[in-house]
Amino acid sequence: MLPVQWPQNEGWVDVGDGTRLWYSDTEGDGPTILLLHASAGSAECWAYQQPVFAEAGYRVIAYSRRGHFRSETGAIPAGQPASTDLLRLLDALELDRVHMLGTAAGGMVATDFAVSRPDRLTSLMISSSMVGIAEDDYESRVTRLLPPAFYGLP
């Protein structure tokens, strides 16, 4: 059974190309924690963390990336990283700086955001992620660490 959730508002943000992303927001005056989900998840996956962070005084925002629960897929412009959508979400919600928590693929988006927009972060937490750095030496090392069967997984 899931814990009782903190009251939250829900809405959609147009990320500039007619694509809308869905988010939930506990609002409030405390520092903001933005939650980024794994590929197999959505903004809905934070049911255990949301009430704990909100009770501790944080404003908690979770959003679903393109094509995930309630968010539209839209056509991603060539070469546009997912962190562009994240920046547009922060701008639309008028958030200057946030604490960011990304898990798995959400950690990849958070890492890209941290590298491209460190001025918008208060802190960065990454869990269960290979981060997503696109650098030849790093990619070569990760490839050697993973068993061949990993690449055949759905």
Side-chain angles (χ1 to χ4, degrees), residues 21 34 38-39 44 48 52 54 65 69 71 81 104 129 132-134 149 151 154:
L21 302 182
L34 187 76
S39 285
E44 294 274 286
Y48 286 94
V52 175
R65 292 191 312 278
F69 181 72
S71 286
S129 181
I133 297 172
Y151 296 100

Side-chain angles (χ1 to χ4, degrees), residues 22-153:
W22 180 80
Y23 72 94
S24 64
D25 184 353
T26 62
E27 298 189 328
D29 297 327
T32 301
I33 295 179
L34 187 76
L35 305 171
L36 290 91
H37 63 83
S39 285
S42 71
E44 294 274 286
C45 75
W46 301 101
Y48 286 94
Q49 293 80 11
Q50 186 257 27
V52 175
F53 288 138
E55 180 67 30
Y58 290 93
R59 177 181 179 183
V60 183
I61 299 174
Y63 80 103
S64 293
R65 292 191 312 278
R66 289 176 185 247
H68 294 265
F69 181 72
R70 292 190 177 172
S71 286
E72 299 168 350
T73 301
I76 302 171
Q80 177 177 300
S83 62
T84 302
D85 286 348
L86 179 52
L87 177 62
R88 291 176 180 162
L89 175 73
L90 293 179
D91 288 346
L93 297 177
E94 299 180 353
L95 297 167
D96 292 326
R97 295 176 64 87
V98 298
H99 296 282
M100 196 171 286
L101 170 57
T103 187
M108 293 177 175
V109 176
T111 300
D112 181 56
F113 189 83
V115 169
S116 62
R117 295 307 308 254
D119 59 307
R120 302 295 293 269
L121 291 178
T122 304
S123 69
L124 174 64
M125 298 155 280
I126 298 173
S127 168
S128 306
S129 181
M130 296 184 329
V131 294
I133 297 172
E135 193 273 324
D136 291 340
D137 186 52
Y138 177 82
E139 289 180 359
S140 173
R141 289 172 193 260
V142 169
T143 301
R144 287 193 310 266
L145 288 172
L146 296 172
F150 177 83
Y151 296 100
L153 293 173

